[in-house]
Amino acid sequence: MLGESALERQLTDARALLREASRTAAEGGPEEPREYVAEAAEGRIRVTVDADGRVGAVEIDPRVLREGAEYLAAEFRTAVNAALDGRGDDYRTDEPVPDLDAVNSAVERLQDQSIRQMREMSATISEVMRKIHRS
C-alpha cells in the first residue's frame, strides 16, 4: 500500500508529465523532423518528402531514363504522391485528441482530494489505535 508521501509524489509526477505534454502539444508537437520516402518504377525512382511537404531528395536510377519522358513523369508523380500520402498518415486520425489541460486539472483535484482523504484515514486509524492501547 502506498504511503501518503509516495502517493503525493506519484500524483505530482503525473501532473508534471501532463503539463509537459500539454506544452509540447501547444508548441506543435515534438521537434522531430520526419521524412517520408516512397519509390516508383520498381525502385528505380526514390523521393523523400519532409513533414512540411517539401521534396528533400530525388534519386533516379539512370536506367529508368531509357523508358522515356512520359513514363518517367508518371512514375515520378507516383513516387511524390506516395511520399505525400505517407506524410498525411501522421495527421489522419479518428480518435479524439484529449484536452490535456482538463486532464491535468482533474489530476490536480484528485491529488488534493486523495491527500486530504489519506490524512483523514490516517488520523482515524491513529485514533482507533490509541483507543485500543488504552483498553
Side-chain angles (χ1 to χ4, degrees), residues 66-78:
R66 296 182 197 137
E67 302 291 335
E70 286 181 27
Y71 178 81
L72 180 63
E75 293 298 308
F76 181 75
R77 183 174 40 254
T78 298

Side-chain angles (χ1 to χ4, degrees), residues 11-32:
L11 288 170
T12 299
D13 291 347
R15 287 179 55 210
L17 287 171
L18 281 169
R19 276 192 305 275
E20 180 61 30
S22 181
R23 187 173 24 258
T24 300
E27 293 171 356
E31 293 186 30
E32 295 178 21

